[in-house]
Amino acid sequence: MKRAIGYPMLLLPALVVPSFAQMFSTGAATSKVRHTIVAASGGTAPVGGNYSLLSFLNATLNARHGVAFDAFVTGPPPTPGVFVREGNRTSAIALGVNPDPTAPSFGFVSSPVITRNGDVVFDVNFSDVFRSDGKKIVPLLRLGDPAPDGGTVTSRGQERVVNDHGAIAFVATVSGAAATQAVLRIDGTHATTIARNDIAPPTGGRFTSLLGLDMNDLGQVAFKSEMTGGSADQGIFRGEGGHLTPVFVANQITSGGEMFEDFSAPTINAHGQVAAICLLKNSASRVGLFLGDGTETVAIALDGRPAPKGGNYRIFTGTARLNDRGEVAFQARLSDAFSGMFRGNRKRTTTLALAGTKAPGTTGTFESFGDVFELGIDGRVAFTAKLATGMGGVDSSNNTGIWMGTSDEDLQLLVRTGAVIGGNVLTDLRFAGASAGGHPLAVDEDSVLWRGSFGPVNALVVSRILGDHEAAHNEN
């Protein structure tokens, strides 16, 4: 049965949706950034009604600057919806309650992901998954579907990942088979078993729990698991259907002589390389950030070891990000109590920003870094940070920003609270994932999608650093 979702009827002043450039001083250099407001609470939705304040928990960006986002619309009738903005046009992909009686109503729609070619994958009622090409909507997963190797899918884990071809991977609960849990991949025409807990892992024994996962564009899935009865009780494996490759497993000796004990959720790139934060034992370091491919493991950073610009790594915070060049972006606290943002590969680690150092584009200094950050395919990292108040004209109204760069030498300010965008003052940026919820930041080659507040209005904005030619053209 379809159901409507009730929520407060909030009508707020709408932001205009312009595209314009804003100049920021970045020390010796000057950059220009174009901000485009994609959608704002109080703005008119393409199906009528207005976006409510509770909108934009999840938003994603593709390389063509298309943006998919979820929102609540005040109606009538009030409804959750999934929308896409491409160019200057916003269209509805799916609605919880469709005012058109001939169109589908889904109940609750959320968590959209836009693929390279503009398809949108979204959740329905926190369980089923559908994909739309803008013309036709097809189911990828519905509870009660048959599992590919027997049994029925009765539920799925909260985490569902999507690759750029629109395939999904997830952990499923299975009934009516020897397996009770499985990692599955579905591409719309074919479902594949990556792992099941009735099949022995390569380390022997059996899987007892299948946990966090990630998938690349080849359909390879990396997942964390717990096991019993074999040579390891924790592990990260890579699979694409059939054979599983151990990437990191407990009791494995690394190339540097450390021994693995436990692992964070993995992230995987297009070459099958996997990165994870790993707990260690029988070594001087208790934790490290590692990159592995099933043949070789390399430490990107280890606690107790020197950071590039002084101090030793002490704690790795948040979740690492990995790109197709084998670069890993990460946060760490250092032995001198300062924290920093870093990017490393097999050969060297580069500092992006350190607490206590000058923040480009401002007269202030970095104080702390949020766990909201992303790594682009070109090595640029976009991250949120707070500035120390009371110095350089920084106070609580202008102490949060987003920076982007490959190192502290080319780091540039994208946006900062206190800036005026579309005639409105930016008052808040999502700083921590725990409080932000959803996906508050995304990057492509030259743009950053972010979510911020302008007083009582929430908005999605795409910011892009202009090249010299574009900047000159914009001035004329």
Side-chain angles (χ1 to χ4, degrees):
M1 182 180 70
K2 311 300 181 187
R3 63 187 178 92
I5 303 298
Y7 52 89
M9 300 286 285
L10 298 171
L11 287 173
L12 297 169
L15 289 175
V16 184
V17 184
S19 178
F20 66 99
Q22 180 172 354
M23 181 178 291
F24 290 112
S25 170
T26 56
T30 298
S31 66
K32 289 192 176 179
V33 181
R34 174 176 292 139
H35 303 296
T36 301
I37 299 170
V38 174
S41 57
T44 303
V47 293
N50 301 87
Y51 299 122
S52 86
L53 185 63
L54 305 177
S55 298
F56 321 133
L57 282 179
N58 300 280
T60 56
L61 176 72
N62 69 8
R64 303 190 308 185
H65 302 153
V67 177
F69 61 93
D70 50 19
F72 288 93
V73 179
T74 57
T79 181
V82 167
F83 302 89
V84 166
R85 182 172 177 84
E86 295 182 290
N88 294 319
R89 181 174 179 268
T90 301
S91 56
I93 294 297
L95 298 171
V97 180
N98 202 314
D100 180 356
T102 64
S105 294
F106 288 97
F108 192 93
V109 292
S110 62
S111 305
V113 174
I114 188 167
T115 68
R116 181 184 293 115
N117 66 1
D119 289 353
V120 177
V121 176
F122 61 95
D123 285 357
V124 173
N125 299 324
F126 303 105
S127 58
D128 299 347
V129 185
F130 287 75
R131 185 172 66 202
S132 171
D133 62 3
K135 299 177 182 177
K136 181 173 65 174
I137 297 175
V138 297
L140 295 179
L141 168 68
R142 308 195 78 165
L143 297 191
D145 285 349
D149 290 300
T152 299
V153 177
T154 56
S155 68
R156 70 169 175 88
Q158 184 177 6
E159 187 175 20
R160 173 266 292 154
V161 294
V162 183
N163 70 14
D164 228 352
H165 300 299
I168 63 171
F170 56 96
V171 176
T173 301
V174 179
S175 64
T180 58
Q181 196 179 33
V183 176
L184 304 179
R185 184 189 67 222
I186 299 176
D187 64 9
T189 59
H190 186 68
T192 301
T193 298
I194 303 299
R196 288 165 64 111
N197 65 354
D198 63 338
I199 298 174
T203 53
R206 63 183 181 89
F207 290 117
T208 58
S209 185
L210 302 170
L211 303 168
L213 74 167
D214 194 21
M215 176 173 56
N216 64 19
D217 288 347
L218 298 176
Q220 296 175 318
V221 179
F223 64 93
K224 181 187 174 182
S225 65
E226 296 175 351
M227 296 92 71
T228 188
S231 61
D233 61 358
Q234 305 279 343
I236 290 177
F237 299 88
R238 185 186 66 230
E240 50 195 310
H243 177 71
L244 288 176
T245 298
V247 180
F248 309 121
V249 295
N251 304 317
Q252 172 187 348
I253 304 297
T254 74
S255 57
E258 301 85 12
M259 181 180 288
F260 290 131
E261 182 176 18
D262 199 357
F263 314 95
S264 70
T267 178
I268 187 171
N269 68 13
H271 305 292
Q273 295 174 310
V274 177
I277 297 172
C278 306
L279 290 180
L280 305 169
K281 60 183 180 180
N282 300 335
S283 70
S285 298
R286 285 292 295 133
V287 65
L289 174 61
F290 285 81
L291 182 69
D293 60 7
T295 300
E296 180 185 14
T297 61
V298 176
I300 302 296
L302 292 166
D303 80 306
R305 301 289 181 86
K309 294 199 171 182
N312 295 332
Y313 296 117
R314 186 165 62 91
I315 298 174
F316 300 100
T317 58
T319 303
R321 305 288 190 264
L322 172 66
N323 68 12
D324 290 346
R325 302 198 309 190
E327 298 171 321
V328 185
F330 62 99
Q331 299 179 342
R333 293 179 185 173
L334 305 178
S335 56
D336 55 11
F338 288 108
S339 59
M341 293 291 311
F342 304 91
R343 178 178 54 85
N345 56 27
R346 293 167 177 260
K347 297 180 179 179
R348 65 188 296 262
T349 298
T350 300
T351 300
L352 289 142
L354 289 172
T357 62
K358 187 179 185 310
T362 79
T363 54
T365 59
F366 288 120
E367 180 180 62
S368 60
F369 305 96
D371 59 6
V372 176
F373 66 99
E374 293 293 341
L375 171 63
I377 60 175
D378 61 356
R380 287 193 288 183
V381 181
F383 61 89
T384 56
K386 285 189 181 295
L387 305 176
T389 58
M391 297 182 292
V394 178
D395 57 32
S396 60
S397 70
N398 62 7
N399 68 330
T400 309
I402 300 174
W403 283 261
M404 188 174 187
T406 62
S407 74
D408 54 3
E409 296 181 358
D410 64 10
L411 195 64
Q412 299 182 66
L413 176 66
L414 283 180
V415 70
R416 177 184 173 190
T417 51
V420 177
I421 297 175
N424 296 267
V425 177
L426 178 65
T427 56
D428 185 49
L429 286 167
R430 301 303 185 263
F431 182 71
S435 63
H439 305 285
L441 191 70
V443 301
D444 68 9
E445 289 91 335
D446 59 3
S447 301
V448 178
L449 170 68
W450 51 273
R451 183 160 52 102
S453 297
F454 297 78
V457 175
N458 287 335
L460 285 176
V461 183
V462 172
S463 297
R464 186 161 69 93
I465 296 175
L466 304 181
D468 292 340
H469 174 75
E470 290 177 298
H473 176 75
N474 193 78
E475 289 177 345
N476 296 328

